[in-house]
Amino acid sequence: MVTLKPKFVSKYPIEGRSITPDNFAGKTIKEISELEAWEGNRKLTLGDLFEITDDADSKDIIKIIGDASKVRNVGLKMTSGKIVVEGDIGWHLGEMMKGGSILVTGNSGSWAGSQMIDG
């Protein structure tokens, strides 16, 4: 399981489309931390925005802990695995999702699961 904890609450939207089990599969924590992310119009990496830890060999479960209400497009086009959000998450969660599961214990922004085919 890979755990992401936001380092801060941004006042700008954060593009989190790289946060999917599909994208994390086969990557080390270093490689995951180098995946592209955008905060507003600034190109950053996931490591710039999140504390990233790994407590097992499996990358098919992603846990997001804390206020990620500005992080949008998490789980975009995901086909397998699981995302667990312990807190709030932004717009378009699980958009165009084709498989896997997402569990949110807080609130999700608008359009969660839009254009979802399965999952």
Side-chain angles (χ1 to χ4, degrees):
M1 175 170 47
V2 177
T3 302
L4 306 176
K5 292 181 184 177
K7 291 182 176 180
F8 56 91
V9 177
S10 176
K11 61 182 180 176
Y12 302 106
I14 293 173
E15 183 58 52
R17 66 181 52 225
S18 62
I19 303 172
T20 71
D22 302 285
N23 288 336
F24 286 13
K27 291 183 173 63
T28 65
I29 290 300
K30 183 178 185 310
E31 291 169 327
I32 291 169
S33 70
E34 293 169 350
L35 290 173
E36 182 178 284
W38 288 81
E39 180 193 29
N41 64 359
R42 287 187 329 144
K43 184 177 179 180
L44 300 171
T45 65
L46 290 182
D48 294 327
L49 300 167
F50 296 94
E51 292 177 30
I52 304 171
T53 57
D54 183 8
D55 64 2
D57 292 334
S58 175
K59 306 287 191 291
D60 65 341
I61 301 173
I62 298 171
K63 184 182 282 189
I64 301 171
I65 300 173
D67 185 354
S69 59
K70 293 289 188 177
V71 184
R72 60 186 180 191
N73 290 316
V74 170
L76 178 71
K77 298 181 182 178
M78 79 183 256
T79 63
S80 64
K82 183 174 185 175
I83 297 174
V84 177
V85 181
E86 294 181 359
D88 296 340
I89 193 75
W91 294 10
H92 297 276
L93 175 68
E95 183 173 29
M96 294 188 269
M97 187 171 152
K98 297 176 184 171
S101 66
I102 298 175
L103 173 67
V104 180
T105 60
N107 297 305
S108 174
S110 299
W111 300 295
S114 67
Q115 302 179 49
M116 185 170 90
I117 295 167
D118 199 0

